[in-house]
Amino acid sequence: MSWHHRQRLVNTARLLTVQSPGVSVLRTNGYQVRSCQRIVAIVAIAIGVTGCSRKTTRLETPQYNPAGFAERALELYDKNSDGAIDDQEMSPGLRSFSQTADKDGNGSLSKSELETRMQEHLDDKVALHDVAGMVLLHGQPLGEATVRFIPDEAMKGIIKPAIGVSDEEGFVSLSVEGDSLPGVQPGIYRIEVSKKQSGQELVPAEFNVDSQLGQEVGMVDSLSSWTLNLGN
């Protein structure tokens, strides 16, 4: 199935779909989703489900104290101890997070802004977001690439890593590691991409071990598919 065909099918799910800057996500609302034996492509409702059982799987939203998260983030990243995390101090994930969390637009994240945004995630009560898109290397689809969403240091122990492997057209859909259901937990992540050939890493270190790619997942408002373009 071509990427364009997938995209036409995904577009039929617009009423269920919401967008984060750079990442398209489908919300799994509430705490329960139906577990299915086979999911065709990324959007079960839009693309079609076969062999769907009646079994219901209970999903728990990540639990944490927003004030505790804010204190942890400041402890990790506020290097000059001025009570805020500025752009130079931000992790890749926090830089994405700041696009919505920086309410006063001053380019830094205060304890109040960190706490408020994480409370919004809790109030949203969404356990998983489907995250999918295209991986390109020098403008060309990168097949058989492993994409990892690694929890930000401030969220370790709160959310789990997610992983996906791109197909021959560069299309990738992510799932929580060790989970049979597709989707990524709401939170803040660093992104790493890897593809090895004959033991040689093909992806530049700036997108791999030294990756500065980051993404907030969740709390989104319209449909868009992301493209991860690694190099020009």
Side-chain angles (χ1 to χ4, degrees), residues 21-96:
V23 172
S24 78
V25 288
L26 290 170
R27 297 164 56 115
T28 305
N29 288 300
Y31 296 99
Q32 297 182 340
V33 296
R34 289 199 180 280
S35 106
C36 303
Q37 296 302 313
R38 293 174 58 202
I39 299 179
V40 182
I42 62 162
V43 188
I45 296 174
I47 297 180
V49 179
T50 61
C52 189
S53 73
R54 293 184 179 275
K55 180 180 177 182
T56 298
T57 301
R58 183 172 180 80
L59 297 175
E60 299 290 345
T61 58
Q63 296 299 308
Y64 50 85
N65 181 327
F69 162 81
E71 290 171 1
R72 170 71 172 153
L74 286 166
E75 179 183 317
L76 285 167
Y77 300 119
D78 180 20
K79 301 303 183 184
N80 61 9
S81 301
D82 66 351
I85 304 170
D86 63 38
D87 184 69
Q88 297 302 312
E89 297 171 323
M90 289 180 194
S91 64
L94 277 181
R95 197 163 287 117
S96 170

Side-chain angles (χ1 to χ4, degrees), residues 3 27 82 103 111 114 125 173 187 190 202 204 210 218 226:
W3 165 253
R27 297 164 56 115
D82 66 351
K103 303 296 186 183
K111 183 178 184 295
L114 290 161
K125 296 181 180 176
S173 176
R190 182 169 63 88
L202 301 182
D210 298 325
W226 57 263

